[in-house]
Amino acid sequence: AQTVTQSQPEMSVQEAETVTLSCTYDTSESDYYLFWYKQPPSRQMILVIRQEAYKQQNATENRFSVNFQKAAKSFSLKISDSQLGDAAMYFCAYRSARGGSNYKLTFGKGTLLTVNP
Amino acid sequence: GAGVSQSPSNKVTEKGKDVELRCDPISGHTALYWYRQSLGQGLEFLIYFQGNSAPDKSGLPSDRFSAERTGGSVSTLTIQRTQQEDSAVYLCASSGPSGNTIYFGEGSWLTVV
């Protein structure tokens, strides 16, 4: 079974600074997807960024980028120019690329990010 | 609708009562997921529906939990004889056939007293 580990229960960053959230995962598969989701106090899970394992290039979405190290099974999220609205719980998630019930997401336990003004 | 819609947003129920939680996925999405998020915890997979295929019920914690999806669209998660440990946020999500991007609703916050 796949597992996802987020080793940082809490992180804080100063507004306008850069922060990196860590995520490692364990799988025997070679083809899969990795995700970062943001959950603000409203509870809505919002997709931040997605990475396909077959792609060597790291995904980027505006101020959000990832460092995907397939051999090390590491998938960290970098938030540049942090804003107050970035404060939330961040979840790393894994999903197999195989079909059927393997489509379910496996989540880490989350990292609570605080942004200080 | 524009997004995944869940109801009720909040539900307080007495121990031993049955509850039903509803999820209306994004129009055209064939896959539907239910997750449970307990206080301070990550997301726990409950059940997955894909089109007309048999659902993956492997995450349901006990036989008090069941879910159905009518007409390949709306889903209802039913918890019978609720217990205090059932208190959690129940999140529904949906995706297209490829499952590449999964969209979540705002959740139903269940409190069992």
Side-chain angles (χ1 to χ4, degrees), chain B residues 7-14 17-21 87-88 108-112:
Chain B
S7 62
S9 180
N10 292 282
K11 174 74 174 179
V12 179
T13 190
E14 292 181 350
K17 300 279 190 181
D18 297 352
V19 296
E20 288 188 349
L21 307 176
S87 296
S108 292
W109 196 326
L110 176 66
T111 303
V112 182

Side-chain angles (χ1 to χ4, degrees), chain A residues 2 6 23 36 40 46 49 71 73 78 81 104-105 111:
Chain A
Q2 292 82 17
Q6 294 179 248
C23 173
W36 277 99
I46 302 166
I49 201 164
K73 296 179 182 175
K78 185 171 82 171
D81 185 25
K104 61 178 179 276
L105 288 168
T111 297

Side-chain angles (χ1 to χ4, degrees), chain A residues 1 6-7 22 27 31 34 51 65 68 71 75 87 89 96 102 114:
Chain A
Q6 294 179 248
S7 59
S22 301
T27 184
D31 199 12
L34 296 164
Q51 175 80 44
S65 62
F68 173 48
F75 182 61
M89 183 71 86
S96 172
N102 296 292
T114 302

Side-chain angles (χ1 to χ4, degrees), chain A residues 37-51:
Chain A
Y37 279 89
K38 168 185 176 181
Q39 187 180 41
S42 67
R43 301 199 307 250
Q44 177 88 54
M45 292 283 284
I46 302 166
L47 177 65
V48 174
I49 201 164
R50 182 186 78 203
Q51 175 80 44

Side-chain angles (χ1 to χ4, degrees), chain A:
Chain A
Q2 292 82 17
T3 58
V4 177
T5 302
Q6 294 179 248
S7 59
Q8 307 153 315
E10 296 184 25
M11 291 283 284
S12 64
V13 63
Q14 291 295 126
E15 196 175 3
E17 297 292 308
T18 295
V19 64
T20 298
L21 308 184
S22 301
C23 173
T24 58
Y25 57 95
D26 187 26
T27 184
S28 59
E29 299 178 333
S30 61
D31 199 12
Y32 49 86
Y33 296 88
L34 296 164
F35 306 83
W36 277 99
Y37 279 89
K38 168 185 176 181
Q39 187 180 41
S42 67
R43 301 199 307 250
Q44 177 88 54
M45 292 283 284
I46 302 166
L47 177 65
V48 174
I49 201 164
R50 182 186 78 203
Q51 175 80 44
E52 291 90 341
Y54 66 85
K55 290 186 178 179
Q56 293 186 335
Q57 186 173 5
N58 290 322
T60 300
E61 287 288 340
N62 300 314
R63 298 182 295 107
F64 299 87
S65 62
V66 299
N67 183 4
F68 173 48
Q69 302 289 329
K70 190 172 184 179
K73 296 179 182 175
S74 172
F75 182 61
S76 61
L77 175 70
K78 185 171 82 171
I79 306 174
S80 304
D81 185 25
S82 297
Q83 300 176 2
L84 295 177
D86 295 334
M89 183 71 86
Y90 285 81
F91 291 96
C92 179
Y94 170 102
R95 203 215 86 190
S96 172
R98 292 187 291 147
S101 62
N102 296 292
Y103 275 2
K104 61 178 179 276
L105 288 168
T106 301
F107 286 87
K109 292 192 179 297
T111 297
L112 180 62
L113 178 66
T114 302
V115 181
N116 301 309

